[in-house]
Short mmCIF file of all heavy atoms in Angstrom, two decimals:
data_model
loop_
_atom_site.label_atom_id
_atom_site.label_comp_id
_atom_site.label_asym_id
_atom_site.label_seq_id
_atom_site.Cartn_x
_atom_site.Cartn_y
_atom_site.Cartn_z
N ASP A 229 -5.58 -2.10 12.81
CA ASP A 229 -4.55 -1.99 11.76
C ASP A 229 -3.48 -3.08 11.92
O ASP A 229 -3.09 -3.72 10.94
CB ASP A 229 -3.90 -0.61 11.78
CG ASP A 229 -4.84 0.47 11.26
OD1 ASP A 229 -5.79 0.14 10.52
OD2 ASP A 229 -4.63 1.64 11.60
N ALA A 230 -3.04 -3.30 13.14
CA ALA A 230 -2.02 -4.32 13.39
C ALA A 230 -2.58 -5.72 13.13
O ALA A 230 -1.92 -6.56 12.52
CB ALA A 230 -1.49 -4.22 14.81
N VAL A 231 -3.81 -5.96 13.55
CA VAL A 231 -4.44 -7.27 13.34
C VAL A 231 -4.62 -7.52 11.86
O VAL A 231 -4.34 -8.62 11.36
CB VAL A 231 -5.78 -7.36 14.09
CG1 VAL A 231 -6.52 -8.65 13.74
CG2 VAL A 231 -5.56 -7.27 15.60
N ARG A 232 -5.08 -6.50 11.13
CA ARG A 232 -5.28 -6.63 9.68
C ARG A 232 -3.97 -7.02 8.99
O ARG A 232 -3.93 -7.92 8.17
CB ARG A 232 -5.83 -5.33 9.11
CG ARG A 232 -6.12 -5.41 7.61
CD ARG A 232 -6.43 -4.06 7.00
NE ARG A 232 -5.22 -3.25 7.05
CZ ARG A 232 -5.16 -2.00 7.53
NH1 ARG A 232 -6.23 -1.43 8.01
NH2 ARG A 232 -4.02 -1.35 7.52
N ARG A 233 -2.88 -6.33 9.35
CA ARG A 233 -1.58 -6.64 8.74
C ARG A 233 -1.12 -8.05 9.07
O ARG A 233 -0.64 -8.79 8.21
CB ARG A 233 -0.52 -5.62 9.19
CG ARG A 233 -0.67 -4.27 8.53
CD ARG A 233 0.53 -3.37 8.80
NE ARG A 233 0.73 -3.13 10.23
CZ ARG A 233 0.15 -2.14 10.92
NH1 ARG A 233 -0.67 -1.31 10.31
NH2 ARG A 233 0.41 -1.99 12.21
N ARG A 234 -1.29 -8.44 10.34
CA ARG A 234 -0.86 -9.78 10.76
C ARG A 234 -1.68 -10.88 10.07
O ARG A 234 -1.14 -11.88 9.64
CB ARG A 234 -0.99 -9.93 12.27
CG ARG A 234 -0.07 -9.05 13.11
CD ARG A 234 1.38 -9.50 13.06
NE ARG A 234 1.55 -10.92 13.19
CZ ARG A 234 1.62 -11.60 14.34
NH1 ARG A 234 1.57 -10.96 15.48
NH2 ARG A 234 1.77 -12.91 14.34
N MET A 235 -3.00 -10.67 9.98
CA MET A 235 -3.85 -11.68 9.35
C MET A 235 -3.55 -11.76 7.85
O MET A 235 -3.49 -12.86 7.28
CB MET A 235 -5.33 -11.37 9.59
CG MET A 235 -6.26 -12.42 9.01
SD MET A 235 -6.02 -14.10 9.62
CE MET A 235 -6.86 -14.02 11.17
N ALA A 236 -3.36 -10.61 7.22
CA ALA A 236 -3.03 -10.61 5.79
C ALA A 236 -1.72 -11.34 5.54
O ALA A 236 -1.60 -12.12 4.58
CB ALA A 236 -2.98 -9.18 5.26
N ALA A 237 -0.73 -11.12 6.39
CA ALA A 237 0.56 -11.79 6.24
C ALA A 237 0.39 -13.31 6.43
O ALA A 237 0.97 -14.11 5.67
CB ALA A 237 1.57 -11.23 7.25
N PHE A 238 -0.39 -13.70 7.43
CA PHE A 238 -0.66 -15.12 7.67
C PHE A 238 -1.32 -15.75 6.44
O PHE A 238 -0.88 -16.81 5.95
CB PHE A 238 -1.56 -15.29 8.90
CG PHE A 238 -2.19 -16.65 9.02
CD1 PHE A 238 -1.45 -17.75 9.42
CD2 PHE A 238 -3.54 -16.83 8.74
CE1 PHE A 238 -2.03 -19.00 9.53
CE2 PHE A 238 -4.13 -18.07 8.86
CZ PHE A 238 -3.38 -19.16 9.25
N LEU A 239 -2.36 -15.11 5.93
CA LEU A 239 -3.07 -15.65 4.76
C LEU A 239 -2.15 -15.71 3.55
O LEU A 239 -2.17 -16.69 2.80
CB LEU A 239 -4.31 -14.80 4.46
CG LEU A 239 -5.42 -14.86 5.50
CD1 LEU A 239 -6.47 -13.78 5.22
CD2 LEU A 239 -6.06 -16.23 5.55
N ALA A 240 -1.34 -14.68 3.33
CA ALA A 240 -0.45 -14.65 2.18
C ALA A 240 0.57 -15.79 2.25
O ALA A 240 0.83 -16.46 1.24
CB ALA A 240 0.27 -13.31 2.10
N ARG A 241 1.13 -16.02 3.44
CA ARG A 241 2.09 -17.13 3.58
C ARG A 241 1.44 -18.47 3.31
O ARG A 241 2.03 -19.35 2.70
CB ARG A 241 2.68 -17.14 5.00
CG ARG A 241 3.82 -16.20 5.21
CD ARG A 241 4.52 -16.45 6.54
NE ARG A 241 3.65 -16.36 7.71
CZ ARG A 241 3.29 -15.23 8.31
NH1 ARG A 241 3.69 -14.08 7.83
NH2 ARG A 241 2.51 -15.25 9.37
N ARG A 242 0.24 -18.64 3.79
CA ARG A 242 -0.42 -19.94 3.69
C ARG A 242 -1.09 -20.18 2.35
O ARG A 242 -1.29 -21.32 1.95
CB ARG A 242 -1.43 -20.10 4.83
CG ARG A 242 -0.76 -20.22 6.19
CD ARG A 242 0.22 -21.36 6.17
NE ARG A 242 0.91 -21.52 7.43
CZ ARG A 242 1.66 -22.55 7.71
NH1 ARG A 242 1.84 -23.51 6.84
NH2 ARG A 242 2.26 -22.64 8.88
N GLN A 243 -1.45 -19.12 1.64
CA GLN A 243 -2.08 -19.30 0.34
C GLN A 243 -1.05 -19.30 -0.79
O GLN A 243 -1.37 -19.69 -1.89
CB GLN A 243 -3.14 -18.22 0.12
CG GLN A 243 -4.31 -18.37 1.06
CD GLN A 243 -5.34 -17.26 0.94
OE1 GLN A 243 -5.07 -16.19 0.39
NE2 GLN A 243 -6.51 -17.50 1.46
N GLY A 244 0.14 -18.82 -0.47
CA GLY A 244 1.23 -18.90 -1.43
C GLY A 244 1.20 -17.88 -2.55
O GLY A 244 2.22 -17.30 -2.86
N THR A 245 0.06 -17.63 -3.14
CA THR A 245 0.01 -16.74 -4.30
C THR A 245 -0.61 -15.39 -3.98
O THR A 245 -0.60 -14.51 -4.82
CB THR A 245 -0.81 -17.39 -5.43
OG1 THR A 245 -2.13 -17.66 -4.94
CG2 THR A 245 -0.18 -18.69 -5.90
N ALA A 246 -1.16 -15.25 -2.82
CA ALA A 246 -1.90 -14.03 -2.50
C ALA A 246 -0.97 -12.89 -2.12
O ALA A 246 0.05 -13.07 -1.46
CB ALA A 246 -2.88 -14.31 -1.37
N ASP A 247 -1.32 -11.69 -2.54
CA ASP A 247 -0.59 -10.47 -2.23
C ASP A 247 -1.14 -9.91 -0.91
O ASP A 247 -2.35 -9.78 -0.73
CB ASP A 247 -0.81 -9.48 -3.37
CG ASP A 247 -0.12 -8.14 -3.16
OD1 ASP A 247 0.43 -7.89 -2.08
OD2 ASP A 247 -0.15 -7.35 -4.11
N GLU A 248 -0.25 -9.55 0.01
CA GLU A 248 -0.69 -9.04 1.31
C GLU A 248 -1.56 -7.80 1.18
O GLU A 248 -2.53 -7.65 1.93
CB GLU A 248 0.53 -8.73 2.20
CG GLU A 248 1.15 -9.96 2.80
CD GLU A 248 2.28 -9.63 3.76
OE1 GLU A 248 2.12 -8.72 4.59
OE2 GLU A 248 3.31 -10.31 3.67
N GLU A 249 -1.24 -6.92 0.26
CA GLU A 249 -2.05 -5.69 0.10
C GLU A 249 -3.47 -6.03 -0.36
O GLU A 249 -4.43 -5.40 0.10
CB GLU A 249 -1.38 -4.73 -0.88
CG GLU A 249 -0.13 -4.08 -0.31
CD GLU A 249 0.50 -3.09 -1.26
OE1 GLU A 249 -0.22 -2.55 -2.13
OE2 GLU A 249 1.70 -2.86 -1.13
N VAL A 250 -3.59 -6.99 -1.24
CA VAL A 250 -4.91 -7.42 -1.70
C VAL A 250 -5.70 -8.01 -0.52
O VAL A 250 -6.88 -7.71 -0.33
CB VAL A 250 -4.80 -8.43 -2.86
CG1 VAL A 250 -6.14 -9.07 -3.17
CG2 VAL A 250 -4.21 -7.77 -4.09
N LEU A 251 -5.02 -8.82 0.27
CA LEU A 251 -5.68 -9.43 1.43
C LEU A 251 -6.07 -8.39 2.46
O LEU A 251 -7.15 -8.47 3.05
CB LEU A 251 -4.78 -10.50 2.04
CG LEU A 251 -4.60 -11.75 1.16
CD1 LEU A 251 -3.42 -12.57 1.63
CD2 LEU A 251 -5.87 -12.56 1.13
N GLU A 252 -5.21 -7.39 2.68
CA GLU A 252 -5.57 -6.30 3.59
C GLU A 252 -6.82 -5.58 3.07
O GLU A 252 -7.69 -5.20 3.85
CB GLU A 252 -4.41 -5.31 3.76
CG GLU A 252 -3.33 -5.83 4.67
CD GLU A 252 -2.31 -4.76 5.02
OE1 GLU A 252 -2.71 -3.61 5.29
OE2 GLU A 252 -1.11 -5.09 5.04
N GLY A 253 -6.90 -5.41 1.75
CA GLY A 253 -8.09 -4.79 1.16
C GLY A 253 -9.34 -5.62 1.40
O GLY A 253 -10.41 -5.08 1.70
N GLU A 254 -9.23 -6.95 1.28
CA GLU A 254 -10.37 -7.83 1.53
C GLU A 254 -10.82 -7.72 2.99
O GLU A 254 -12.02 -7.68 3.28
CB GLU A 254 -10.01 -9.28 1.22
CG GLU A 254 -9.86 -9.58 -0.25
CD GLU A 254 -9.46 -11.02 -0.49
OE1 GLU A 254 -9.86 -11.91 0.29
OE2 GLU A 254 -8.73 -11.26 -1.47
N LEU A 255 -9.84 -7.66 3.88
CA LEU A 255 -10.17 -7.51 5.30
C LEU A 255 -10.84 -6.17 5.57
O LEU A 255 -11.78 -6.09 6.36
CB LEU A 255 -8.91 -7.67 6.15
CG LEU A 255 -8.37 -9.10 6.22
CD1 LEU A 255 -6.90 -9.11 6.66
CD2 LEU A 255 -9.22 -9.95 7.15
N GLU A 256 -10.40 -5.11 4.90
CA GLU A 256 -11.02 -3.79 5.07
C GLU A 256 -12.45 -3.78 4.55
O GLU A 256 -13.32 -3.15 5.14
CB GLU A 256 -10.20 -2.70 4.38
CG GLU A 256 -9.13 -2.11 5.24
CD GLU A 256 -9.63 -1.58 6.58
OE1 GLU A 256 -10.61 -0.81 6.64
OE2 GLU A 256 -9.04 -1.97 7.60
N VAL A 257 -12.69 -4.47 3.44
CA VAL A 257 -14.05 -4.57 2.91
C VAL A 257 -14.95 -5.27 3.93
O VAL A 257 -16.08 -4.83 4.19
CB VAL A 257 -14.07 -5.30 1.55
CG1 VAL A 257 -15.49 -5.68 1.14
CG2 VAL A 257 -13.41 -4.44 0.47
N SER A 258 -14.45 -6.34 4.53
CA SER A 258 -15.21 -7.05 5.56
C SER A 258 -15.50 -6.13 6.73
O SER A 258 -16.60 -6.13 7.29
CB SER A 258 -14.47 -8.29 6.04
OG SER A 258 -14.44 -9.27 5.04
N ARG A 259 -14.50 -5.35 7.13
CA ARG A 259 -14.68 -4.42 8.26
C ARG A 259 -15.74 -3.38 7.93
O ARG A 259 -16.59 -3.06 8.76
CB ARG A 259 -13.36 -3.74 8.60
CG ARG A 259 -13.49 -2.83 9.80
CD ARG A 259 -12.20 -2.12 10.07
NE ARG A 259 -12.26 -1.43 11.36
CZ ARG A 259 -11.64 -0.31 11.61
NH1 ARG A 259 -10.89 0.26 10.68
NH2 ARG A 259 -11.74 0.25 12.79
N ALA A 260 -15.71 -2.85 6.71
CA ALA A 260 -16.71 -1.86 6.31
C ALA A 260 -18.10 -2.48 6.28
O ALA A 260 -19.07 -1.88 6.75
CB ALA A 260 -16.35 -1.28 4.94
N ASP A 261 -18.21 -3.69 5.75
CA ASP A 261 -19.50 -4.40 5.73
C ASP A 261 -20.01 -4.61 7.16
O ASP A 261 -21.20 -4.43 7.43
CB ASP A 261 -19.37 -5.76 5.04
CG ASP A 261 -19.13 -5.66 3.55
OD1 ASP A 261 -19.33 -4.56 2.97
OD2 ASP A 261 -18.74 -6.68 2.95
N LEU A 262 -19.11 -4.97 8.04
CA LEU A 262 -19.47 -5.21 9.44
C LEU A 262 -19.95 -3.91 10.10
O LEU A 262 -20.95 -3.91 10.81
CB LEU A 262 -18.27 -5.77 10.20
CG LEU A 262 -18.50 -6.14 11.65
CD1 LEU A 262 -19.48 -7.30 11.76
CD2 LEU A 262 -17.18 -6.50 12.31
N ALA A 263 -19.26 -2.82 9.84
CA ALA A 263 -19.64 -1.54 10.44
C ALA A 263 -21.03 -1.11 9.97
O ALA A 263 -21.85 -0.67 10.79
CB ALA A 263 -18.61 -0.47 10.08
N VAL A 264 -21.31 -1.26 8.69
CA VAL A 264 -22.63 -0.91 8.16
C VAL A 264 -23.70 -1.81 8.77
O VAL A 264 -24.76 -1.34 9.20
CB VAL A 264 -22.65 -1.00 6.62
CG1 VAL A 264 -24.05 -0.90 6.07
CG2 VAL A 264 -21.76 0.09 6.02
N ALA A 265 -23.42 -3.10 8.83
CA ALA A 265 -24.40 -4.05 9.40
C ALA A 265 -24.70 -3.73 10.85
O ALA A 265 -25.86 -3.74 11.27
CB ALA A 265 -23.87 -5.48 9.26
N ARG A 266 -23.66 -3.42 11.61
CA ARG A 266 -23.89 -3.08 13.02
C ARG A 266 -24.65 -1.78 13.16
O ARG A 266 -25.52 -1.66 14.02
CB ARG A 266 -22.56 -3.02 13.77
CG ARG A 266 -21.98 -4.39 14.03
CD ARG A 266 -20.70 -4.33 14.82
NE ARG A 266 -20.28 -5.67 15.21
CZ ARG A 266 -19.04 -5.99 15.50
NH1 ARG A 266 -18.08 -5.08 15.46
NH2 ARG A 266 -18.74 -7.22 15.84
N GLU A 267 -24.32 -0.81 12.34
CA GLU A 267 -25.02 0.48 12.38
C GLU A 267 -26.50 0.31 12.06
O GLU A 267 -27.35 0.96 12.66
CB GLU A 267 -24.37 1.44 11.39
CG GLU A 267 -24.91 2.85 11.46
CD GLU A 267 -24.15 3.78 10.54
OE1 GLU A 267 -22.92 3.91 10.71
OE2 GLU A 267 -24.79 4.36 9.63
N GLU A 268 -26.80 -0.57 11.13
CA GLU A 268 -28.19 -0.81 10.72
C GLU A 268 -28.88 -1.84 11.61
O GLU A 268 -30.07 -2.11 11.43
CB GLU A 268 -28.23 -1.27 9.27
CG GLU A 268 -27.78 -0.21 8.29
CD GLU A 268 -27.70 -0.71 6.86
OE1 GLU A 268 -27.84 -1.94 6.63
OE2 GLU A 268 -27.50 0.13 5.96
N GLY A 269 -28.14 -2.45 12.53
CA GLY A 269 -28.73 -3.48 13.39
C GLY A 269 -29.03 -4.76 12.66
O GLY A 269 -29.89 -5.54 13.07
N ASN A 270 -28.33 -5.02 11.57
CA ASN A 270 -28.57 -6.20 10.75
C ASN A 270 -27.70 -7.36 11.25
O ASN A 270 -26.58 -7.55 10.80
CB ASN A 270 -28.26 -5.88 9.28
CG ASN A 270 -28.60 -7.01 8.35
OD1 ASN A 270 -28.76 -8.16 8.76
ND2 ASN A 270 -28.73 -6.70 7.07
N GLN A 271 -28.24 -8.13 12.18
CA GLN A 271 -27.49 -9.22 12.78
C GLN A 271 -27.19 -10.34 11.79
O GLN A 271 -26.19 -11.04 11.93
CB GLN A 271 -28.22 -9.76 14.01
CG GLN A 271 -28.29 -8.77 15.15
CD GLN A 271 -26.89 -8.29 15.57
OE1 GLN A 271 -25.99 -9.07 15.79
NE2 GLN A 271 -26.72 -6.98 15.66
N ASP A 272 -28.06 -10.51 10.80
CA ASP A 272 -27.79 -11.54 9.79
C ASP A 272 -26.53 -11.21 9.01
O ASP A 272 -25.72 -12.09 8.73
CB ASP A 272 -28.97 -11.67 8.82
CG ASP A 272 -30.19 -12.31 9.46
OD1 ASP A 272 -30.03 -12.99 10.48
OD2 ASP A 272 -31.29 -12.11 8.92
N GLU A 273 -26.36 -9.94 8.68
CA GLU A 273 -25.17 -9.52 7.94
C GLU A 273 -23.92 -9.60 8.82
O GLU A 273 -22.85 -10.00 8.37
CB GLU A 273 -25.34 -8.11 7.39
CG GLU A 273 -24.23 -7.68 6.47
CD GLU A 273 -24.13 -8.49 5.19
OE1 GLU A 273 -25.15 -9.04 4.72
OE2 GLU A 273 -23.00 -8.60 4.66
N VAL A 274 -24.05 -9.25 10.09
CA VAL A 274 -22.94 -9.39 11.03
C VAL A 274 -22.51 -10.86 11.08
O VAL A 274 -21.32 -11.18 10.98
CB VAL A 274 -23.31 -8.89 12.44
CG1 VAL A 274 -22.26 -9.28 13.47
CG2 VAL A 274 -23.53 -7.38 12.44
N ALA A 275 -23.48 -11.75 11.22
CA ALA A 275 -23.18 -13.18 11.25
C ALA A 275 -22.59 -13.64 9.92
O ALA A 275 -21.73 -14.52 9.88
CB ALA A 275 -24.44 -13.98 11.57
N GLY A 276 -23.03 -13.02 8.83
CA GLY A 276 -22.51 -13.38 7.50
C GLY A 276 -21.04 -13.06 7.34
O GLY A 276 -20.29 -13.84 6.73
#
């Protein structure tokens, strides 16, 4: 949770137009994709 907030804030500052909440959502989607890939043993998706 702390890493997600810090990374979203970093991206928002550097991209200028991005909303931190939107970026946190993108990071959460990536985390969910990663969890499913690991659960299924799909290393290609993990690498993706």
Side-chain angles (χ1 to χ4, degrees):
D229 288 337
V231 173
R232 182 190 67 230
R233 285 190 301 272
R234 294 288 316 275
M235 183 58 80
F238 165 74
L239 293 169
R241 276 191 304 279
R242 292 304 179 169
Q243 293 176 343
T245 58
D247 179 353
E248 283 184 45
E249 288 182 25
V250 170
L251 291 164
E252 283 190 42
E254 289 178 32
L255 288 161
E256 272 306 309
V257 168
S258 290
R259 183 183 190 212
D261 291 346
L262 183 66
V264 169
R266 285 183 172 157
E267 186 175 301
E268 293 175 352
N270 185 341
Q271 293 304 310
D272 289 339
E273 188 64 28
V274 169

